[in-house]
Amino acid sequence: MYGSHNGRFGVRGVAAAAGLLLLLTGCSASDDGKGDGKGDGGRAGASEGADGTGGGNPAGIGQRPADTVPYWVNPDGTAARQVAAYTKDGNEEAAALIRRIAEQPVGEWVGAENPEAEAKGYTEAAAKADRQALLVLYNIPHRDCGQFSKGGAADGDAYRAWVEAVARGIGDRGATVVLEPDAVVHLVDGCTPRQLHEERYDLLRGAVERLKKQPGTRVYLDAGNAGWRTADALFDPLRRAGIEGADGFAVNVSNFQTTADSTEFGRQLSAKVGGKPFVVDTSRNGSGPYTASDSEETWCNPPGRALGEPPTTDTGDDLVDAYLWIKRPGESDGDCRGGPKAGEWWPAYALDLVRAAKKG
């Protein structure tokens, strides 16, 4: 159903008109510490089966109308499994809290080992539910400047082959792709060595071009967050990275900037890149950024944060295509503040995110 676009966002009008039901189930792992749940240092990859389909619906989560939420929810995500575990242990209070995460669609971070199978599994499962997959590609060489989520493809050729495999896996099914969190901003902030810049720009342009050959795929190139740099610093780098060929850009991925600040930042940037629309990661921004510490790692498992607005395409702003949970709430940013390694599920943090949102 989502192999072709319907209006600027592709599926918005189709889902509303058809009154489709979204299969609501779990979610799983991923500004740094995106994590892949496999220990390879990635922001977030599939922690389910190699084909990305998981193993069932352990939490028994049902369906509900979702005319403004066109995205598929993984029926065997980490949060769904946590709900099932808490229910089995008789901890209904904790199960009910984590269910607030498990009942929302989140980004599926495609892993490095089986990209074609994962992309195919996610998009096939989404198509069966009359939804589209929300995928995050995070495998650029020299990823994350050697920080918590270091890693990525071995070289440019390996990366091109990986993107090719993802594209084949998507096929003509519907997918929204968030492309390479931090890849552009780390060219601007100086942590990626200058001798690697031209190759990275070439790889990003190539990835946009290749993915856009798939008829049902929308591509949003990551553009940092409102607390990082001004829009002026990103205009030329995004142009060199291929923003013209993308459907838009993404802001606040895995970060905590408020939706209002993220939207203003996105609008300023949009004005400089031809009026491109954008998506906002609202997964953990319900309390805004952490300001109670002078540490440079205010993005890494900060305390007191909360879930933000649930995923929706009904944003009330023509430039904002969607609020998305690109970062998977409850998964660690890295081994800081007592957290596990990047991308691993951290139930205590997940519970804190929900409780803080409930209070708000």
Side-chain angles (χ1 to χ4, degrees), residues 49 97 125 154 157 174 191 194 200 245 249 266 298 301 311 333 346:
L97 290 171
D157 287 341
C191 79
R194 183 161 295 278
R200 177 166 294 184
F249 56 93
T298 55
N301 299 325
D333 294 314
W346 189 7

Side-chain angles (χ1 to χ4, degrees), residues 8-9 12 220 249 251 259-268 270-271 275-280 309 312-323:
R8 182 170 59 86
F9 192 66
R12 188 178 293 175
Y220 293 85
F249 56 93
V251 298
T259 302
D261 288 346
S262 296
T263 300
E264 178 59 27
F265 173 73
R267 294 183 70 84
Q268 292 175 10
S270 175
K276 291 283 186 178
F278 56 96
V279 297
V280 180
E309 291 96 333
T312 182
T313 58
D314 186 15
T315 67
D317 191 316
D318 288 342
L319 278 177
V320 185
D321 275 350
Y323 299 146

Side-chain angles (χ1 to χ4, degrees), residues 77-95:
T78 313
R81 293 197 295 270
Q82 185 67 73
V83 171
Y86 280 142
T87 300
K88 182 179 179 180
D89 292 342
N91 192 343
E92 294 296 339
E93 179 184 4

Side-chain angles (χ1 to χ4, degrees), residues 214-277:
Q214 306 311 116
T217 299
R218 297 184 67 81
V219 179
Y220 293 85
L221 184 60
D222 183 71
N225 64 77
W228 178 81
R229 290 283 194 277
T230 66
D232 289 339
L234 287 164
F235 161 58
D236 187 60
L238 284 172
R239 178 189 62 78
R240 295 175 68 185
I243 187 64
E244 182 177 352
D247 293 280
F249 56 93
V251 298
N252 203 46
V253 174
S254 296
N255 212 283
F256 303 86
Q257 304 298 318
T258 66
T259 302
D261 288 346
S262 296
T263 300
E264 178 59 27
F265 173 73
R267 294 183 70 84
Q268 292 175 10
L269 186 53
S270 175
K272 297 178 178 295
V273 293
K276 291 283 186 178

